[in-house]
Amino acid sequence: AGAGIAPVAEVARWPRDAGADWCAGFLAGVVDARGSVSCGELRVRHSDEEVVGRVAGALHRLGLGFAMESAERGERVVRLTGGPAALA
């Protein structure tokens, strides 16, 4: 059998009850990998609906406002609302 990279779902499990620290760390990693800033707002773009939902859930858990948007190629965008002031 050929060696390859296993899908994330095979090597990582989502926590049942994600705490604030886990959510902050998860968001930091996702933003590092898939985040961008456009018009002064942080956006995370992803094609995996479960990841998009987890990003939205983590933002909600941390009390941050966000909006969901559709993007090209079947991707979804989670946009942090409120600009830089939202993180202060």
Side-chain angles (χ1 to χ4, degrees):
I5 298 174
V8 171
E10 291 181 16
V11 296
R13 303 230 191 299
W14 298 109
R16 286 188 184 142
D17 184 27
D21 288 341
W22 186 92
C23 289
F26 170 70
L27 288 171
V30 170
V31 167
D32 187 41
R34 304 288 305 207
S36 65
V37 176
S38 176
C39 299
E41 293 184 316
L42 178 66
R43 299 167 192 270
V44 172
R45 178 184 301 249
H46 210 287
S47 60
D48 185 320
E49 285 294 324
E50 184 169 15
V51 172
V52 170
R54 295 290 178 156
V55 169
L59 289 169
H60 178 75
R61 172 74 166 86
L62 296 175
L64 300 170
F66 62 93
M68 308 282 284
E69 303 169 348
S70 296
E72 62 274 355
R73 299 181 313 237
E75 293 180 317
R76 302 265 294 156
V77 174
V78 182
R79 177 175 51 88
L80 179 66
T81 57
L87 299 175

